[in-house]
Amino acid sequence: MATPSPLPPFAAIVVAAGKGLRVGGDTPKQFRDWRGKPLIRHSVEALLEAGASPLVVVVAPDARDHAQAALRGLAELQFVVGGATRQNSVRAGLEALDESAPAHVLIHDAARPDLPRAVLDGLLAALEHHPGAIPVLPVVDSLAFACDGVMAGKAEREVLRRVQTPQAFRFIDILAAHRAWTGATNAGDDAQVLMDSNRSVALVDGDERLKKITFAEDFMDSSTLPEFRIGQGYDVHRLEAGEELWLGGVLIPHNMGLVGHSDADVALHAITDAVLGAVGEGDIGTHFPPSDPQWRGARSGQFLEHAVGLARAAGYAIANVDLTLICEAPKIGPHRPAMRAEVARLMALDEGAVSIKATTTEKLGFTGRGEGIAAQAVVLVTRTA
Ligand code: MG
């Protein structure tokens, strides 16, 4: 896989001063084990891996020992005692960074273990034009105002976004905004503090993988997950003249193409179902119903990326994929390298972990008569922690 280009330098603050007792138990959730190590260690390690330096961890006065134990052995961490509110805690972290005066700082929740690289790229790029940038996601459910258990009105979800962390800022701007913050009103996050000082906050694409771990069921003991799981997928689409032929994410020149609601990429559909099958997440129709007009003509690569994201969120990494295409024509061989590269890219795998094979059915059956193309795939996933 290509190594991503280096990010511009940035400092980071991980806010871990909350009590986090909603998950149950006496230990704040950020210090409890999640997928094999303390929850906070996931987010701190991800930031260090991305190049955060220096990195400040803000902890409650009585949680210093918990935090140091949870983060033992990690280099370059600075522990700062937080305040009574989240604003006070972040302010303490910012003041601690004042001496090193970084150009950019990321402020992150301890309870968001995964940190997709594309989000970091988007945040830091946006700081070229704005003093602040935050990852956001669309609201997919419709919204209702509630009043005494009765619907009191509707909200327009199109103009609303769900806000995640890390939130990225030019250091001098967020420090100034926090110093100017009167505390008269309560801010939910640092973007609100920055906006209150009349500075602009860019919205960049967030990622479901940045999900905050909140409730007890998120703390399912990873030792109960099996080491390996396997999934298989099978799909068929009809061939017709006048259609584009997409196979394995590659547009293949041919006198016929596959018919379907999406781009009908039978290869990616079989792999997607195999991934979903391995982690028990239903099938492609569960997640992307053909009845939903938003998937009309959709590139199937996004289905596969979504499935791989679900597998990761369930604590698994993809080990390998083996795909067989079943058709008389076109010849798959000449397109195999491009398909292999594209499937590897979509699944964030090395090409060595992607096998693409093809067979005919000796002119027997619907594939033999050239009426359609079938695909079957097997995927192995391994536990990541
Ligand atoms: Mg299909």
Side-chain angles (χ1 to χ4, degrees):
M1 271 189 305
T3 322
S5 52
L7 290 162
F10 65 94
I13 296 172
V14 173
V15 189
K19 295 208 186 319
L21 299 178
R22 259 182 298 178
V23 294
D26 297 330
T27 307
K29 68 175 177 189
Q30 58 270 28
F31 306 121
R32 293 179 58 186
D33 273 5
W34 185 82
R35 298 208 176 131
K37 53 190 172 190
L39 181 57
I40 187 176
R41 196 173 177 103
H42 291 265
S43 49
V44 168
E45 282 181 347
L47 282 164
L48 289 173
E49 209 170 294
S53 177
L55 196 157
V56 170
V57 180
V58 187
V59 296
D62 56 356
R64 218 189 162 97
D65 291 349
H66 270 314
Q68 280 170 342
L71 298 169
R72 185 170 295 131
L74 298 180
E76 272 206 82
L77 298 183
Q78 189 180 343
F79 292 91
V80 169
V81 172
T85 65
R86 191 180 184 283
Q87 270 71 54
N88 291 342
S89 293
V90 173
R91 167 90 185 264
L94 289 167
E95 297 291 353
L97 282 173
D98 194 20
E99 205 164 299
S100 48
H104 301 140
V105 61
L106 259 57
I107 302 175
H108 198 25
D109 293 332
R112 298 185 196 261
D114 211 343
L115 185 56
R117 170 61 193 247
V119 175
L120 286 181
D121 286 334
L123 289 170
L124 291 168
L127 291 186
E128 288 173 26
H129 305 289
H130 299 269
I134 57 175
V136 297
L137 288 174
V139 177
V140 291
D141 296 319
S142 63
L143 298 169
F145 286 103
C147 182
D148 294 333
V150 174
M151 183 169 166
K154 64 170 183 145
E156 296 301 330
R157 69 176 176 195
E158 291 75 14
V159 297
L160 296 174
R161 298 290 182 272
R162 292 184 287 144
V163 177
Q164 303 179 306
T165 81
Q167 302 190 343
F169 304 97
R170 294 180 192 157
F171 180 72
I172 51 166
D173 288 288
I174 190 65
L175 180 61
H178 266 275
R179 283 177 176 170
W181 178 256
T182 59
T185 52
N186 195 25
D189 62 14
D190 303 291
Q192 293 174 16
V193 174
L194 189 74
M195 216 181 89
D196 196 64
S197 70
N198 293 314
R199 292 167 166 93
S200 66
V201 178
L203 305 182
V204 308
D205 286 343
D207 193 308
E208 292 290 357
R209 286 172 287 169
L210 277 168
K211 171 174 133 82
K212 191 173 192 168
I213 304 297
T214 311
F215 300 107
E217 53 264 37
D218 288 326
F219 271 85
M220 184 176 64
D221 180 3
S222 67
S223 65
T224 63
L225 296 178
E227 193 82 19
F228 300 101
R229 296 183 65 162
I230 192 165
Q232 65 92 31
Y234 176 76
D235 196 26
V236 171
H237 281 267
R238 196 157 35 84
L239 275 168
E240 270 185 18
E243 296 284 337
E244 287 184 340
L245 178 58
W246 288 88
L247 283 177
V250 175
L251 182 58
I252 291 178
H254 191 50
N255 61 355
M256 297 177 102
L258 292 172
V259 187
H261 193 72
S262 63
D263 64 10
D265 189 325
V266 70
L268 294 190
H269 292 185
I271 299 172
T272 301
D273 261 356
V275 173
L276 293 172
V279 293
E281 282 281 359
D283 61 25
I284 195 168
T286 324
H287 297 273
F288 306 98
S291 55
D292 188 337
Q294 70 170 305
W295 308 123
R296 184 170 300 140
R299 289 277 85 86
S300 297
Q302 64 190 299
F303 304 159
L304 180 54
E305 286 176 318
H306 180 79
V308 171
L310 287 173
R312 287 184 52 171
Y316 288 97
I318 311 292
N320 73 307
V321 51
D322 185 17
L323 171 83
T324 303
L325 281 162
I326 304 154
C327 59
E328 294 297 325
K331 289 220 174 306
I332 299 301
H335 307 289
R336 192 196 318 258
M339 290 167 53
R340 194 180 191 198
E342 179 61 6
V343 171
R345 187 190 70 79
L346 290 166
M347 302 182 78
L349 289 174
D350 289 327
E351 285 186 32
V354 177
S355 154
I356 293 180
K357 317 198 299 298
T359 185
T360 70
T361 47
E362 299 284 335
K363 302 232 159 37
L364 297 169
F366 70 87
T367 52
R369 293 188 295 272
E371 294 166 5
I373 297 181
Q376 55 190 43
V378 184
V379 162
L380 184 75
V381 298
T382 61
R383 199 173 71 203
T384 50

